[in-house]
Amino acid sequence: MGSVGWVLHVDLDQFQAAVERLRRPELSGRPVIVGGNGDPTEQRKVVTCASYEARAAGVHAGTPLRAALRRCPDAAFLPLDAAAYEAASAQVMAILRGFPVDVEVWGWDEAFLGAARSDPEALAREVQLAVAEACGLSCSIGVGDTKLRAKLATGFAKPAGIARLDRHNWMPVMAGRPTDALWGVGRRTAAKLAAHGIGTVGQLAAADPASLAERFGPTTGPWLRQLALGGGGGRVHSEPRPARSRSHVITFPRDLTDRAEMAQRLEDMARRLTAEVVANGRTVRRVATTVRTATFYTRSRITTLTAPTQDADTISRAAVGLLDRFDLDRPVRLLGVRVEFTVDR
């Protein structure tokens, strides 16, 4: 369809919990928490989805399961069932593709739609009705004239509603909000902005571009201001995007303190990962290693290989070698390896 007039961001409400309720109607109205193996006493496992009832009790995605049990002891704790969520998501995306729109899938529970419609809210209502009738699921839909505005509008639409952010109401709605309300601005970036006297979206939008470029870099500085103005995200892409990377991570049942053991774990992961990507015909150009300590301090280091390769020895040596760029003075709870592929032009 090419250039389109409106972007809709479709976000399935409490998706995993909603899928579980379709399979278990007796859970209707009861707090539902999905994560790990469904055992709330399981160590080092976190919540992947909490129903709205559980969220009202202070349980959210990323909450340790043990903490979730303390906050919401009456909840139904269920294991993560990726196959069921994949199937439900595929059904929803097929419904979306039945509309005269571009569809860009962003995960199991969300997608952007690009539509040349004069009344995007009417389209949003049609989408909600079709998804509810065919799949039994509800969704919230944000409408915008950019991806960023549509994505943020969804937050005002939840649950099961429709909201619009466009060039006409962007500043009245967003100007007074903190900068980390923007999609793409995290707490650390917001803290850095605040240190320079920029605490709100409006202040960031009014900031001098040259000053932002000097403080945050020639790319990041102007990009931050663009976000504050409501731009960004590009057009909606219907075509599937080829994977550019693949990763493995492991959270250990006990913290690691011995560097040799860490190196062995990384080597094993890197070799398995290499076998997978080579089987798919991919060639690796960059390797990254991630370390998370027992205090949840997480850092990644990345290196570009001398030449793109499919050699497991080269890739595993690179992953292990990156350990030298970490201060391993605390016990380690998680290690990860990511490989980035060469991209055909």
Side-chain angles (χ1 to χ4, degrees):
M1 290 179 62
S3 178
V4 297
W6 291 102
V7 178
L8 276 63
H9 177 250
V10 180
D11 192 339
L12 295 165
D13 298 320
Q14 53 183 4
F15 173 61
Q16 295 172 18
V19 171
E20 297 295 350
R21 282 175 170 166
L22 287 176
R23 301 196 291 180
R24 301 174 175 86
E26 69 274 12
L27 296 179
S28 178
R30 182 180 173 188
V32 174
I33 295 173
V34 178
N37 294 321
D39 178 2
T41 65
E42 193 175 7
Q43 293 187 17
R44 299 181 182 276
K45 298 297 183 180
V46 299
V47 174
T48 60
C49 180
S51 69
Y52 290 130
E53 296 86 355
R55 294 178 199 182
V59 178
H60 303 276
T63 302
L65 283 176
R66 289 186 168 189
L69 179 61
R70 290 194 300 271
R71 297 174 190 174
C72 198
D74 296 330
F77 286 83
L78 302 174
L80 186 73
D81 188 342
Y85 311 141
E86 187 75 41
S89 176
Q91 185 182 14
V92 171
M93 300 310 162
I95 296 298
L96 299 183
R97 292 188 179 99
F99 287 86
V101 297
D102 291 324
V103 179
E104 183 176 340
V105 178
W106 272 61
W108 281 337
D109 60 350
E110 65 177 319
F112 285 100
L113 311 183
R117 289 280 293 259
S118 59
D119 186 354
E121 281 83 3
L123 173 61
R125 287 190 290 272
E126 293 171 19
V127 168
Q128 286 180 325
L129 182 60
V131 170
E133 289 185 343
C135 309
L137 298 169
S138 71
C139 58
S140 302
I141 300 181
V143 176
D145 45 8
T146 67
K147 272 186 178 177
L148 179 135
R149 287 175 177 154
K151 171 78 172 179
L152 293 183
T154 310
F156 296 101
K158 284 186 171 293
I162 299 167
R164 181 196 289 201
L165 282 174
D166 59 22
R167 65 184 182 277
H168 300 294
N169 69 344
W170 173 257
M171 278 303 170
V173 173
M174 296 298 298
R177 296 179 182 272
T179 56
D180 61 4
L182 293 169
W183 183 35
V185 177
R187 283 181 290 181
R188 289 187 178 181
T189 300
K192 291 179 182 178
L193 287 166
H196 293 288
I198 300 172
T200 67
V201 172
Q203 290 170 338
L204 181 55
D208 176 56
S211 177
L212 288 172
E214 181 180 351
R215 292 170 178 172
F216 295 93
T219 300
T220 301
W223 173 75
L224 289 170
R225 183 171 180 269
Q226 183 70 12
L227 294 183
L229 292 169
R235 71 179 185 87
V236 176
H237 295 268
S238 280
E239 64 276 9
R241 294 185 177 183
R244 294 175 179 265
S245 67
R246 189 161 182 170
S247 61
H248 276 178
V249 296
I250 296 178
T251 300
F252 303 106
R254 60 174 178 80
D255 295 336
L256 304 186
T257 56
D258 180 62
R259 188 191 186 283
E261 184 176 4
M262 297 176 201
Q264 185 61 58
R265 296 294 190 119
L266 283 172
E267 180 178 351
D268 293 343
M269 276 192 284
R271 289 185 178 279
R272 289 198 303 272
L273 194 54
T274 302
E276 292 173 10
V277 301
V278 170
N280 289 327
R282 310 310 296 263
T283 300
V284 175
R285 66 184 181 90
R286 298 213 294 174
V287 179
T289 293
T290 298
V291 173
R292 176 176 296 163
T293 69
T295 57
F296 285 84
Y297 183 79
T298 306
R299 281 291 182 270
S300 295
R301 300 288 184 265
I302 191 165
T303 185
T304 300
L305 301 175
T306 304
T309 186
Q310 294 183 328
D311 180 62
D313 289 339
T314 301
I315 294 167
S316 61
R317 278 198 303 269
V320 173
L322 287 168
L323 272 181
D324 293 334
R325 294 168 57 181
F326 294 91
D327 293 325
L328 300 174
D329 55 350
R330 292 190 178 101
V332 170
R333 64 179 282 123
L334 174 148
L335 289 172
V337 178
R338 186 179 81 254
V339 294
E340 296 184 359
F341 312 137
T342 54
V343 180
D344 297 331
R345 300 294 183 185

